[in-house]
Amino acid sequence: WGIAISNYIWWLGIGHAGTVISALLLILGQTWRNALNRFAEAMTLFAVVCAGLYPIVHLGRPWFVYWMAPYPSTMSVWPQFRSPLTWDFFAVLTYLTVSLLFWYIGILPDLAAVRDRAKTRNAQVFYGLLALGWRGAATHWARWRRTYRLTAAIAVPLVVSVHSEISLLLAAGPIAGWTSTVFPPYFVLGAAFSGFAVVSMIAVALRHWLGFEAVVSERHLDLLAKMTLMTGLMTAYGYVSEVFNALYSGDGTELETLHNRLTGPVAWSCWGALIGNFLPLQLLWVGRFRRNPVLLFAVSLSVAVGMWMERYMFVVSSLSHHGLPSSYGSYSPSFWEWCLYAGSIGLFLTLFMLFVRFLPIISASELKSEASQEAAHG
């Protein structure tokens, strides 16, 4: 299960930046989010879908996934609430539900605009059903803003709680290298780090392919780069804390695990994570590098790959070399595990391309509101 667990954590981490960009910045009143929030929210939604596939596959009999839901069955069989698989079920389902609601509430005004501009009857019916009868009345806008902010207030703590739960899947067990109290904040910051990197990649790609230079400006690239740099430095502090905890504890098993990560069979993933995450990242200290789309894309790609290596290193190094020497073993992903990973990437890209093709990827209503406010203030 090594690569399956690491992919699950990696996909959930990617989804976190979309919620932070959209929900947290909405609450803080940061208008620069309006150029990024729509596709960042879609990225979150599709990444959570890809992550949710892995706990289902872990079951072995995925057609019985509904057994994990606490419903009154005829045999009175209830989920085992001490099982991490049950935690996964509730964490992913809650995150997916709130992310879907937040994304859908935000896109409602733009769906109504597309409905009004549609040229065929089928498109009018399709977008009209999705718009839920939106007419742009003052009461509609008032309720929309209230609901949008309320959902954002729910989504922000959910970011912290969901990935803290993911870290507790590891920290709750007796496995060396995982029993650390730094894991919840460490995982949350690492998730935001990888998520901001992927958002930067998507922003650069859409900006180039669709000609969005006037909407996603160099200022937005600069701010995304600063957020990536900030969360990267916080993640680096988590790396240092983890090494310090192992050395300070003096526990033989913890020290052996640390040594195995640095010099063992999975050392390539450890050093790849350190180099990929933090070496190119230092370029973002320079302003002209932050505003360079090609360079920002390259740094973000390095971070995305580095964070995958970090998750792989965490899972495999501890599970293959822990506690009893009789439990030592070697692990390498099979062909089918790599195929499943490639398939999840393909699913993400397919869903995102369909979103770009059929739905508004820029929040036009919020951009118009921001432009009118700026014009009113000169």
Side-chain angles (χ1 to χ4, degrees):
W1 288 5
I3 192 174
I5 300 175
S6 59
N7 289 342
Y8 167 69
I9 301 172
W10 185 71
W11 276 119
L12 270 183
I14 286 176
H16 276 51
T19 307
V20 171
I21 287 176
S22 192
L24 182 59
L25 296 182
L26 174 65
I27 295 173
L28 296 177
Q30 299 295 313
T31 56
W32 65 269
R33 63 176 281 279
N34 296 334
L36 308 170
N37 66 318
R38 182 62 48 72
F39 60 80
E41 292 168 14
M43 179 203 73
T44 293
L45 192 61
F46 304 145
V48 174
V49 169
C50 293
L53 294 176
Y54 282 97
I56 297 176
V57 174
H58 286 181
L59 292 174
R61 294 186 290 174
W63 50 91
F64 291 136
V65 64
Y66 65 92
W67 285 6
M68 299 176 69
Y71 70 98
S73 63
T74 55
M75 299 183 66
S76 299
V77 178
W78 293 86
Q80 173 54 272
F81 291 103
R82 289 177 293 181
S83 168
L85 278 175
T86 303
W87 304 353
D88 283 339
F89 176 80
F90 288 104
V92 174
L93 187 62
T94 304
Y95 195 37
L96 180 62
T97 303
V98 175
S99 298
L100 179 61
L101 285 174
F102 186 60
W103 171 79
Y104 186 56
I105 291 170
I107 204 175
L108 267 177
D110 290 342
L111 289 174
V114 176
R115 174 202 62 197
D116 297 337
R117 292 166 180 255
K119 297 180 180 180
T120 65
R121 182 59 180 168
N122 290 336
Q124 290 173 351
V125 171
F126 174 73
Y127 291 109
L129 291 173
L130 292 178
L132 300 180
W134 178 278
R135 299 187 308 277
T139 53
H140 290 187
W141 282 108
R143 291 168 182 167
W144 177 80
R145 291 190 179 95
R146 184 166 59 247
T147 307
Y148 201 26
R149 290 184 175 274
L150 177 62
T151 313
I154 296 173
V156 170
L158 197 64
V159 174
V160 178
S161 63
V162 168
H163 225 66
S164 296
E165 180 270 333
I166 301 303
S167 71
L168 291 176
L169 298 182
L170 309 181
I175 307 300
W178 291 356
T179 54
S180 173
T181 55
V182 79
F183 264 34
Y186 179 23
F187 270 55
V188 170
L189 293 170
F193 182 37
S194 59
F196 276 115
V198 176
V199 169
S200 300
M201 293 168 61
I202 293 175
V204 170
L206 294 179
R207 184 176 185 267
H208 174 70
W209 288 332
L210 302 179
F212 282 165
E213 287 83 0
V215 178
V216 183
S217 64
E218 289 186 353
R219 175 173 177 262
H220 293 95
L221 299 183
D222 183 69
L223 289 169
L224 281 174
K226 287 180 179 178
M227 298 294 285
T228 304
L229 177 62
M230 178 188 69
T231 51
L233 295 176
M234 293 178 178
T235 305
Y237 180 80
Y239 277 54
V240 174
S241 297
E242 191 184 14
V243 173
F244 173 79
N245 287 341
L247 296 175
Y248 186 72
S249 68
D251 183 82
T253 308
E254 292 283 346
L255 294 173
E256 175 111 17
T257 301
L258 177 61
H259 183 265
N260 181 51
R261 288 178 177 176
L262 295 174
T263 61
V266 294
W268 60 269
S269 60
C270 178
W271 292 106
L274 290 172
I275 295 171
N277 286 336
F278 306 119
L279 194 59
L281 185 70
Q282 306 312 311
L283 295 173
L284 300 184
W285 288 102
V286 183
R288 71 176 185 276
F289 292 160
R290 291 196 299 268
R291 293 185 290 271
N292 186 313
V294 176
L295 188 61
L296 179 59
F297 186 92
V299 172
S300 301
L301 180 60
S302 175
V303 169
V305 174
M307 290 303 293
W308 183 89
M309 290 184 178
E310 180 215 283
R311 272 55 182 266
Y312 183 89
M313 176 265 295
F314 265 133
V315 174
V316 175
S317 64
S318 292
L319 289 181
S320 62
H321 197 87
H322 68 88
L324 299 174
S326 59
S327 301
Y328 290 3
S330 59
Y331 169 80
S332 59
S334 68
F335 171 77
W336 300 111
E337 287 175 306
W338 285 118
C339 287
L340 185 62
Y341 178 46
S344 67
I345 295 177
L347 174 63
F348 176 83
L349 293 176
T350 300
L351 293 174
F352 198 86
M353 293 298 180
L354 291 173
F355 163 72
V356 172
R357 175 64 182 85
F358 292 108
L359 294 172
I361 63 172
I362 296 293
S363 182
S365 60
E366 292 180 275
L367 282 175
K368 288 179 180 179
S369 176
E370 179 187 353
S372 62
Q373 292 176 11
E374 290 179 355
H377 291 84

